[in-house]
Amino acid sequence: DDYYQFTGGLSAAAAALGGGDVPVYMGDHSLAEAPKIRSLKEEITRVVRGRATNPKWINGVMRHDYKGAFEMAATLDYLFAFAATTQQVPSHLFDHVFEAWIENQDVYDFLDDANPDALRDMMARFQDALDRGLWQPRRNSIIEKLEQFSETAQNTVDT
């Protein structure tokens, strides 16, 4: 979370002082002999596609039960935080994460069984992204699923 706190915070401050969004770049030094500089938008897209929605990563994190579900929730928190502080997260990335984690019944069931609190936090975070205008889902069914989850959660609290 240091990345979004510092990078996002600096980006938000620069935008506020300068009156507009500022370009943000990330250095990838995973191969010391071939470092790469990418825009924040490119890097976030790479991480969402290569890690967060990658079935191999999802299956691997699911082996860690409660902690794995927590890691998934934290990943969504980071995506949300970058969207809120930098405006560099396209809506389709939220769609991809939602589809891979919530609309995939096996992953949804894992989250619900292993860490229902993480699942509730994730659904609230998706709703918050929607409410703040950080995410405009491609399909109305996503909004309906969020509403159904919220109603079910409220009914559970009421009983």
Side-chain angles (χ1 to χ4, degrees):
D1 57 356
D2 290 344
Y3 293 108
Y4 77 77
Q5 289 175 6
F6 296 110
T7 303
L10 287 171
S11 176
L17 292 172
D21 290 333
V22 295
V24 178
Y25 297 95
M26 304 295 285
D28 177 357
H29 301 279
S30 57
L31 296 174
E33 65 280 359
K36 293 185 179 169
I37 304 300
R38 295 184 185 94
S39 71
L40 180 62
K41 189 177 194 176
E42 291 171 322
E43 185 65 13
I44 290 171
T45 299
R46 190 175 77 84
V47 169
V48 166
R49 290 187 175 156
R51 181 176 152 254
T53 61
N54 183 327
K56 288 181 181 181
W57 182 81
I58 294 169
N59 289 331
V61 81
M62 287 170 63
R63 288 193 301 262
H64 297 281
D65 295 320
Y66 179 87
K67 178 68 171 162
F70 169 82
E71 288 299 325
M72 293 173 78
T75 298
L76 179 58
D77 283 345
Y78 303 156
L79 184 68
F80 174 87
F82 272 121
T85 58
T86 68
Q87 308 300 312
Q88 297 293 311
V89 179
S91 280
H92 72 272
L93 296 182
F94 281 104
D95 286 335
H96 290 315
V97 172
F98 192 89
E99 291 163 2
W101 296 358
I102 306 303
E103 292 188 326
N104 180 317
Q105 194 63 48
D106 291 336
V107 178
Y108 182 90
D109 290 344
F110 158 75
L111 292 165
D112 195 31
D113 291 340
N115 192 335
D117 291 331
L119 175 60
R120 278 191 296 277
D121 289 348
M122 291 166 67
M123 296 301 276
R125 184 62 74 205
F126 280 120
Q127 186 65 54
D128 198 13
L130 186 66
D131 293 345
R132 291 182 185 216
L134 301 173
W135 176 34
Q136 291 79 39
R138 290 184 300 215
R139 296 185 332 273
N140 290 336
S141 62
I142 290 174
I143 296 169
E144 292 167 6
K145 186 149 190 152
L146 286 168
E147 289 171 353
Q148 289 171 350
F149 185 88
S150 180
E151 289 171 12
T152 302
Q154 185 60 42
N155 290 338
T156 302
V157 169
D158 291 342
T159 56

